[in-house]
Amino acid sequence: MSVQERKQRERAVRERLIVATARELAEQQGWDAVTTRRLAERIEYSQPVLYSHFRGKREIIGAVALQGAGELAVALRAATSAADGPRARVYALASAYLDFAARNPAVYDALFQLDGGLAYAQEDTPEPLKDAFAALLECLAEVAGDGVEPGLFTEVFWAALHGVATLTRSGRLPPEETGPRVELLVDRLAVV
């Protein structure tokens, strides 16, 4: 292995450590607790080392969002592949989405609430974000209904899921009613 390859590998390891530490800190204490000073202390590198990887917190949030988008896509595909029939797939998709949001609040915020400097729904949207949307679309396209553009239907269904996730997490909707909300969404929005 050349010196250059070793340095690149070490850099990638440091970058993963920064992202993992930021994510851990955000999940434990919220994104306000994530500062370059605290990250530097936790990973035992200087702040200039952090800045050599990320220009600031915004880029770190973006890196966490991209990582989370990949995880969300995997979770959605795993849930829908295990379900039998369109209705069951949509229910599994909705449940997996809401479960992901509940289990990973800081990642969910990085993806959909905070400014991570990422482009959404544009030509230059990063692949992990496109793939997470594709995981939704793959399932929801089959239940959009006649004459309904599948992408538009997916956006509306996703918006409903996001609303349920956000309102439940903020305590404005009781979590014990999540199942009936998912049933209603599936039964009223999806043509199965």
Side-chain angles (χ1 to χ4, degrees):
M1 172 182 301
S2 72
V3 172
Q4 180 67 17
E5 289 171 329
R6 184 181 52 76
K7 285 183 179 186
Q8 287 175 338
R9 189 177 71 214
E10 289 171 355
R11 181 173 176 76
V13 168
R14 271 194 316 271
E15 196 163 294
R16 284 192 301 271
L17 178 62
I18 293 166
V19 171
T21 304
R23 182 176 173 166
E24 179 183 310
L25 187 58
E27 291 292 1
Q28 291 171 351
Q29 299 176 32
W31 278 104
D32 287 343
V34 179
T35 65
T36 54
R37 184 183 58 76
R38 285 181 115 177
L39 285 173
E41 288 171 4
R42 282 215 175 181
I43 63 172
E44 298 177 348
Y45 283 106
S46 67
Q47 285 181 329
V49 169
L50 265 69
Y51 285 117
S52 74
H53 289 274
F54 300 98
R55 286 183 290 209
K57 183 175 176 177
R58 181 179 186 217
E59 283 189 5
I60 294 170
I61 290 169
V64 170
L66 293 177
Q67 186 180 72
E71 293 169 8
L72 176 61
V74 167
L76 296 177
R77 288 188 176 107
T80 57
S81 70
D84 187 29
R87 185 186 189 289
R89 278 190 291 279
V90 175
Y91 187 87
L93 175 100
S95 296
Y97 182 94
L98 294 173
D99 183 57
F100 180 88
R103 283 185 300 103
N104 304 284
V107 173
Y108 192 82
D109 284 350
L111 269 165
F112 303 120
Q113 302 288 99
L114 301 173
D115 178 11
L118 304 173
Y120 286 77
Q122 298 174 22
E123 282 295 316
D124 60 342
T125 297
E127 284 306 314
L129 297 178
K130 289 179 181 179
D131 190 46
F133 185 79
L136 290 165
L137 181 63
E138 289 161 10
C139 176
L140 294 170
E142 70 178 317
V143 297
D146 293 336
V148 177
E149 199 279 309
L152 181 62
F153 177 77
T154 299
E155 290 172 351
V156 170
F157 199 92
W158 172 35
L161 288 175
H162 176 69
V164 171
T166 303
L167 292 170
T168 301
R169 193 165 125 216
S170 69
R172 286 162 176 82
L173 293 176
E176 61 273 6
E177 295 296 321
T178 299
R181 285 187 198 96
V182 171
E183 291 280 346
L184 186 60
L185 273 174
V186 172
D187 290 341
R188 299 301 169 115
L189 285 182
V191 178
V192 288

